[in-house]
Amino acid sequence: MQRHPGSLLKELDLDKKELLALLELAGELKRATAEGTEKPQLTGRNLALIFEKASTRTLCAFEVAAYDQGAHITYLGPSGSHIGVAESIADTARVLGRMFDGIEFRGFDQAAAEQLADYAGVPVWNGLTTQWHPTQMLADILTMTEHSSGPLEDVSYCFLGDGRNNVARSLLITGAILGMDVRIGAPRELWPPQDVIDTAHTLAAESGARVLITDDPAKAVAGSDFLYTDVWVSMGESDADWAVRVPLLLPFRVTTDLMAASGRTGTKFMHCLPALHDTDTELGRRLHDQFGLDGAEVSNDVFESEASIVFDQAENRLHTIKAVLVNALGQGR
Ligand code: CP
């Protein structure tokens, strides 16, 4: 079956024009929400939300966006359905495609998201896989736009941490598509896969993007408008990975010193969340007991500083996911 054109499985599915159009639509929807003039364009639509992994922001953003726009949702969690246990992804897709107008999928394997789209006949939206996190990118770029005065092409951002993870890969590809200045600061063993780096360079040659992958944190952040980090051990990875990652990633921890090393007074801090920035969580306390850390990928003073725009990012998950839904299924589109 042909994939629905309203699907969003990875950033590479979109060109610059399509990405910018989604961002513009998100901005319009955000303004309409603020002004109380939002017009439901998804009345009577039914959406399935599949979550094989935990979520706060993505789940809530899809639910609230659907409700605001007049759609109904059905939540299929990690247990309680047959998905992947007694029923294949292809069969699940053909069943859900007969009942629902669109399907969100958060899971482990990108191939599962792609297969859902191949068989469902309705739009499929990737709410995070191990490889890509495209709806996060829309929120991140919208947030950068809101905190920048010049054109997007002049914006420089730097991801610090595990460069192999979904957010790092997605940031690299998104910046390369949009013609931005995108850097990854990570130890060599945690650099993005070579094929992703190669793709970023190919895209950059077309878009004018500047791409830098480096194991030198000071070089990575020099001149950056936005420093971005993510949890050092991702969902689905082993707890034992912390013992390897902590010593590797400590030089890339976002502290006031690293923020200052950007050399800019207005550098902002970004994080897709959830963040380990203190000992107020079970995991935070465990890392404190095991490694003496008070927070991991970002220090608490940076997280709580005026430079931190993490909750703007979180809010923008809603407006950008709403744009994805309206773009795919909105009446009159
Ligand atoms: N950033 C993000 O995807 O958040 P959740 O895991 O809470 O959905």
Side-chain angles (χ1 to χ4, degrees), residues 42-102:
L42 302 177
T43 306
R45 300 290 198 172
N46 292 300
L47 309 179
L49 307 184
I50 302 173
F51 280 84
E52 292 180 346
K53 290 178 175 174
S55 172
T56 299
R57 280 144 290 273
T58 310
L59 173 60
C60 295
F62 268 98
E63 285 212 22
V64 175
Y67 293 143
D68 282 355
Q69 283 290 313
H72 307 283
I73 64 101
T74 295
Y75 170 74
L76 296 164
S79 63
S81 85
H82 298 293
I83 300 170
V85 181
E87 194 155 37
S88 68
I89 292 290
D91 292 355
T92 302
R94 284 175 284 187
V95 172
L96 298 183
R98 300 287 184 106
M99 298 185 189
F100 292 95
D101 300 293

Side-chain angles (χ1 to χ4, degrees), residues 51 54-59 106 127-128 133 136 235 272-274 317:
F51 280 84
S55 172
T56 299
R57 280 144 290 273
T58 310
L59 173 60
R106 167 172 286 205
L128 177 148
H133 199 358
Q136 180 70 50
M235 281 186 282
C272 51
L273 303 182
R317 299 300 308 283

